[in-house]
Amino acid sequence: MQPSTSTDRIILRRLAGGVGARLARWPVFPYDVTVRISLWVSVVVVAGLFGWGAWQRRWIADDGLIVLRTVRNLLAGNGPVFNAGERIEANTSTAWTYLVTLGAWLGGPVRMEYVALALALTLSVLGVVLAMLGTGRLYAPSLQGRRALLLPAGALVYIAVPPARDFATSGLENGLVLAYLGLLWWMLVCWSQALRATPKGRLFDGTLAAVAGLSVLIRPELALIGGGVLVMMLIAARGWRRRVLIVVAGGLLPVAYQIFRMGYYALIVPGTAVAKDASGAKWSQGFTYLSNFNNPYLLWVPVLLLAALGVVLLTTRTRPWWVRHQVPRGYGWLARTVQSPAAVVLFMFASGLLQGIYWVRQGGDFMHGRVLLTPLFCMLMPISVIPVVLPDGTRFTRETGYLLAAATSVLWASVVGWSIWAANSSGLGADGTRVTYTGIVDERRFYSQATGHAHPLTAADYLDYPRMRAVLTAINNTPDGALLLPSGNYDQWDVVPAYPPPADLTPAARQALETPHTVFFTNMGMLGMNVGLDVRVIDQIGLTNPLAMHTQRLTDGRIGHDKNLFPDWAVAEGPFLKTRPYIPAYLDEEWISQAEVALGCPATESMLNSVRGEMSPRRFLSNLTHAYEFTKYRIDRVPLYELKRCGLPVPEPKNPPYTGMPATGP
C-alpha cells in the first residue's frame, strides 16, 4: 500500500526513523555470541559450584539463632526485642531481621531455621551472579565487534575460600550483604555507562539512590559504600530537582528508621555496636585476624595472579569506549569523570579496601574470616569475570594477539588451579575448633563438633550442646522462678532461687503467678530458641543485657567477647535471694549488696528506664533526645568502683572482716 499524500509520507518517515533509532539503541551494548554464551556459562558454573559448596557446609550459627529469637518476639507481638519488656536491638542487620520475619510469616508452619537457611543460601548465590553480570556489562562496550570469552576469575577466588561457603548459610546476614552489593554493583555499572549510551531517567536514579540508602540497614559499616554512591550521584546530577530526588530517595528509609531506633532503643547505633564498641581500635588483634584469614589459603597468590591479569588486560585494551563516545552538553569535567566506568571500578575497589582497614582497626572478629569476606568481595567484583580476547589481527598482529591471549589464559588457569587447591584446604586445621590465644575459631566446625551434628541447623540440634538439655531440666525444677548460672559441670546449672511467693496464696493464684526465670549465659542464640519467650536470657558480653552492654571494653578480652559483667549484678537486679546459702560459693554477698546500691545511680536508672519503661509518646521523645547520651554511657563492672564513680555510699559489710581480735571485749 502506497502513501496517498505527501503528509502521509512524512508521517511514515518519522515513524520509521523513531523505530529505527530505538532499534539502534537496543540492546545498548550488543554482545558477540561468543561473549554472551561464555558469560552465561561462567555464571551458571560459578553459581552451581557456590550453591553446591555452600549446601555441603550448611549450618545455622548460634548468632543466627539470636536473630530468630527476635523474629519469634516480633511474630508474638512483643516487638523487635530479644527479651519481652526490654528493648534491646540484638541484631546488627535490621534488614535481615525483618526479611526473615517476613519469610517466617509467609512460611507459616515451616521452621524458622529452614526459612533463614533458604533465604541465606539463595541470596548468597544471587549476589555472586549479580556481581558477574555487572562486570560482564562493564566489559561489554569495549568488546563490541570483537570475539572474546568472558571467564570467571574474581568470582572463582571468592567462592573458593572456605569461609565464603560457610557463611553463605549460617543464618546471618552475609548472604543478604552479597546480594545487596551485587545489585548495587550492577546498577552502578549501568549508571556509569548512561552518559555515553542511553541516558537513564529519574526512575532509575531514584531506584539507585534508594538502594544505596539501604546500605546502613544491611549493615552499619556499609554506609561508607552507600553514602559514597549517593555523593557520586549528587556530583553527577543535573539540576536541583534531580538532586532533591536523590537525597529524598536515598535518605527517607534510613532516616526514618534512625528516628525509630533512637526513640525505641534509646541508642544511635545497634546494640551490638555498643556491646562491641565498634568505634574502638585493636590494631594488633586486627593484624592477627588478617593473618589468620590469609595464611591457610595463601590469599596473596591469587592477588598476584589477578594483578598480573590486570596488567595484561590494560595492555590489550583498545581505546576506552567512554572516551570515544560524546557526552551530552551540560556535563562538566567532574560530572563526566565521576559518572564513568573507571570511577565506579576505582570506587568499589577502594570501598572494599577501606572496609578491610576498618575491620583490622576494630580487631576483626572471633569467627574465622567472617568480617573480611565483604571487603574481599568488593575488591574482587570488578574482576569477577575477565575477557580473553581472541586475536583478529586488527590491533595486534595475529602472532602478538595469540601470545597475549595465551598469557591471559595461563594466568587464568593458575587462578583456577589455586581455587581448586584452596577450596579443598583444611583451613585452620586442628586449631579450628579450639579457642587459642587468638580467640579465633572455625565457628562451623566448632559447633559441629560440640553438638555432634555435621550440620547443626535447628535449635533442637543445639540441645546436644553442653548444658542445653540441663537448662530445660533446671527451669522445670524451679516452678517459683530462679536465676540460672552456668556451673563447672556441663550437666547442671547453679540455681539462685527467686523470692518465694506468699504462703497464703491459693493453688489457683499460685498457678497464675508469673514465675521469673533468668538464664545468664554466653550462647544466647541456642538458649533463647530452646526456652520460652517468658524466660529472660541475658549474657555477660552485652548483646542482650543492657548492663553488660554499657560496661567498658576489656583491653585483653577475647575479640567480640571483650566485655564481661560479673554474675553478681544479675543477682542484684532480679527478684532473687541474695545471701548464703542460696547463692553459689563463687558469688560475694558484699558485691551483690554493692551492686544493688550501684543500680540506684541516677544515670544508670535513666538508662535502664529508657529500655524497660513502658513505651509511650513521651518515652519515645525522651529517648530520642537522650539517645546520644545513653549510647556513650558506661558503668564500671566492679560494683565498688561503680559506687565511687557515681558518688554513692558504700553499704556496710554484712559480715565484718576478720581482724584477729574477738568481736566483743578483750
Side-chain angles (χ1 to χ4, degrees):
M1 174 177 163
Q2 297 294 324
S4 57
T5 65
S6 60
T7 303
D8 292 337
R9 287 193 293 271
I10 291 173
I11 293 173
L12 285 175
R13 279 199 301 269
R14 288 179 177 176
L15 288 173
V19 172
R22 285 194 294 273
L23 289 176
R25 292 197 303 263
W26 188 89
V28 178
F29 304 122
Y31 290 109
D32 177 88
V33 65
T34 308
V35 176
R36 187 186 301 274
I37 292 175
S38 62
L39 173 61
W40 281 105
V41 168
S42 297
V43 168
V44 170
V45 169
V46 170
L49 288 173
F50 190 33
W52 177 77
W55 180 256
Q56 294 298 311
R57 305 166 82 96
R58 63 193 180 278
W59 69 305
I60 298 290
D62 178 66
D63 286 51
L65 295 177
I66 292 177
V67 177
L68 298 186
R69 167 85 171 192
T70 302
V71 171
R72 283 177 67 196
N73 273 298
L74 269 167
L75 295 177
N78 297 327
V81 299
F82 191 82
N83 291 307
E86 198 167 55
R87 293 180 295 276
I88 299 296
E89 190 176 14
N91 308 325
T92 303
S93 175
T94 302
W96 179 241
T97 299
Y98 287 98
L99 181 62
V100 175
T101 302
L102 176 62
W105 180 72
L106 294 174
V110 179
R111 290 189 67 109
M112 290 182 189
E113 295 94 324
Y114 297 144
V115 171
L117 176 71
L119 283 173
L121 182 57
T122 301
L123 290 171
S124 295
V125 175
L126 179 62
V128 173
V129 168
L130 287 171
M132 296 177 71
L133 292 178
T135 306
R137 184 181 177 91
L138 179 72
Y139 290 126
S142 61
L143 296 177
Q144 288 185 74
R146 307 181 72 186
R147 291 189 308 139
L149 298 175
L150 281 175
L151 302 177
L156 271 182
V157 171
Y158 181 80
I159 70 170
V161 179
R165 302 194 301 281
D166 286 346
F167 291 101
T169 56
S170 83
L172 293 166
E173 71 279 353
N174 293 73
L176 177 61
V177 170
L178 292 190
Y180 171 77
L181 290 175
L183 175 62
L184 186 64
W185 167 245
W186 180 82
M187 295 186 73
L188 264 180
V189 171
C190 295
W191 175 78
S192 71
Q193 296 170 338
L195 290 183
R196 286 89 180 170
T198 305
K200 302 298 180 185
R202 292 181 180 176
L203 178 61
F204 180 87
D205 279 2
T207 303
L208 176 56
V211 170
L214 284 175
S215 59
V216 70
L217 301 180
I218 304 296
R219 273 196 69 93
E221 68 272 11
L222 293 184
L224 176 68
I225 298 178
V229 171
L230 292 174
V231 170
M232 292 173 69
M233 294 182 70
L234 288 172
I235 292 173
R238 295 179 66 186
W240 67 268
R241 291 184 178 179
R242 189 64 64 95
R243 290 189 174 92
V244 169
L245 172 66
I246 292 169
V247 170
V248 172
L252 185 61
L253 189 57
V255 169
Y257 186 80
Q258 182 63 18
I259 293 172
F260 169 77
R261 170 182 284 148
M262 294 169 68
Y264 190 77
Y265 297 111
L267 295 174
I268 61 173
V269 293
T272 52
V274 179
K276 299 186 179 185
D277 273 348
S279 60
K282 284 193 172 183
W283 284 101
S284 61
Q285 176 63 26
F287 284 114
T288 298
Y289 188 78
L290 179 63
S291 175
N292 179 273
F293 184 44
N294 168 70
N295 290 346
Y297 318 113
L298 303 179
L299 286 173
W300 58 270
V301 173
V303 168
L304 293 179
L305 292 173
L306 292 173
L309 269 173
V311 171
V312 173
L313 292 176
L314 285 173
T315 303
T316 58
R317 71 184 174 92
T318 57
R319 189 183 180 198
W321 73 273
W322 57 86
V323 174
R324 302 195 306 267
H325 287 69
Q326 185 176 1
V327 175
R329 293 181 180 179
Y331 288 91
W333 173 85
L334 183 59
R336 294 197 310 270
T337 303
V338 168
Q339 194 171 352
S340 68
V344 165
V345 169
L346 182 61
F347 169 77
M348 190 55 70
F349 180 84
S351 295
L353 186 61
L354 289 175
Q355 291 277 315
I357 293 173
Y358 164 77
W359 281 114
V360 171
R361 178 184 183 274
Q362 166 72 5
D365 192 40
F366 63 93
M367 300 186 195
H368 169 60
R370 180 199 168 196
V371 296
L372 292 180
L373 291 174
T374 297
L376 179 66
F377 188 68
C378 287
M379 290 189 285
L380 291 175
M381 270 198 292
I383 49 171
S384 54
V385 295
I386 59 163
V388 177
V389 179
L390 304 179
D392 55 9
T394 55
R395 176 168 170 76
F396 300 99
T397 64
R398 288 190 176 274
E399 292 76 10
T400 304
Y402 277 115
L403 182 62
L404 291 171
T408 305
S409 300
V410 169
L411 289 170
W412 177 78
S414 301
V415 170
V416 173
W418 174 88
S419 299
I420 294 172
W421 171 80
N424 294 280
S425 168
S426 59
L428 296 181
D431 283 345
T433 57
R434 295 201 303 264
V435 183
T436 62
Y437 76 96
T438 66
I440 305 167
V441 297
D442 183 332
E443 194 84 346
R444 182 189 63 83
R445 286 177 54 207
F446 175 86
Y447 282 118
S448 294
Q449 177 177 292
T451 62
H453 296 275
H455 305 289
L457 291 172
T458 67
D461 291 336
Y462 279 93
L463 285 174
D464 294 320
Y465 189 81
R467 298 191 178 94
M468 281 302 103
R469 293 190 188 277
V471 76
L472 301 182
T473 302
I475 290 174
N476 290 332
N477 290 341
T478 52
D480 292 331
L483 169 67
L484 304 182
L485 302 173
S487 168
N489 185 336
Y490 284 170
D491 293 325
Q492 71 180 52
W493 288 74
D494 291 330
V495 176
V496 180
Y499 293 128
D504 57 351
L505 280 182
T506 64
R510 192 182 188 95
Q511 187 174 4
L513 188 68
E514 291 186 7
T515 55
H517 277 102
T518 298
V519 188
F520 187 85
F521 193 49
T522 306
N523 301 92
M524 299 81 66
M526 64 180 76
L527 184 59
M529 284 297 288
N530 278 305
V531 300
L533 295 179
D534 58 331
V535 177
R536 183 170 179 249
V537 177
I538 59 174
D539 64 303
Q540 75 272 33
I541 59 179
L543 293 179
T544 67
N545 185 345
L547 280 175
M549 178 189 297
H550 288 276
T551 57
Q552 295 287 351
R553 192 181 190 188
L554 300 178
T555 304
D556 298 318
R558 184 189 178 195
I559 191 67
H561 295 73
D562 43 11
K563 291 189 176 182
N564 189 6
L565 187 72
F566 295 108
D568 307 73
W569 289 90
V571 179
E573 71 164 341
F576 309 113
L577 298 173
K578 305 179 186 342
T579 58
R580 304 201 188 283
Y582 304 108
I583 61 174
Y586 51 81
L587 297 186
D588 189 290
E589 289 186 28
E590 305 309 324
W591 277 45
I592 293 172
S593 63
Q594 291 167 7
E596 279 190 283
V597 177
L599 288 169
C601 179
T604 303
E605 283 188 327
S606 297
M607 180 271 292
L608 292 176
N609 286 335
S610 71
V611 297
R612 293 176 181 171
E614 183 178 356
M615 179 50 63
S616 63
R618 183 175 180 179
R619 171 69 61 192
F620 189 92
L621 291 174
S622 175
N623 287 353
L624 190 65
T625 304
H626 297 95
Y628 179 80
E629 175 186 335
F630 290 140
T631 302
K632 296 295 184 182
Y633 184 65
R634 295 293 182 271
I635 65 173
D636 198 299
R637 68 194 192 104
V638 178
L640 180 61
Y641 298 161
E642 174 61 11
L643 290 174
K644 293 180 178 179
R645 184 195 70 84
C646 204
L648 294 175
V650 179
E652 290 294 327
K654 295 179 182 178
N655 297 310
Y658 177 70
T659 62
M661 298 295 292
T664 58

